[in-house]
């Protein structure tokens, strides 16, 4: 199974977040405490 697109609404620290995922490689980068682990 592959996930191609991710949409978060009112999830943890995200009011609205939308992300297109690459089938080969996706890198999520950000400062500490911004919610990177919440996306995964």
């Amino acid at each position: 199974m592959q996930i191609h697109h991710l949409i978060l609404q009112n999830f943890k620290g995200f009011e609205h977040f939308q992300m297109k995922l690459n089938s080969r490689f996706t890198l999520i980068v950000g400062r500490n405490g911004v919610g990177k682990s919440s996306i995964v």
Side-chain angles (χ1 to χ4, degrees):
M1 177 170 74
Q2 291 184 354
I3 299 172
H4 299 282
H5 195 90
L6 178 68
I7 299 174
L8 303 177
Q9 280 191 271
N10 299 321
F11 177 76
K12 299 213 177 201
F14 299 95
E15 185 175 321
H16 181 78
F17 178 81
Q18 190 168 345
M19 180 180 200
K20 197 172 192 182
L21 303 171
N22 186 307
S23 63
R24 297 182 70 153
F25 184 81
T26 299
L27 179 66
I28 300 171
V29 178
R31 298 180 119 186
N32 289 341
V34 296
K36 298 177 301 291
S37 297
S38 297
I39 294 172
V40 175

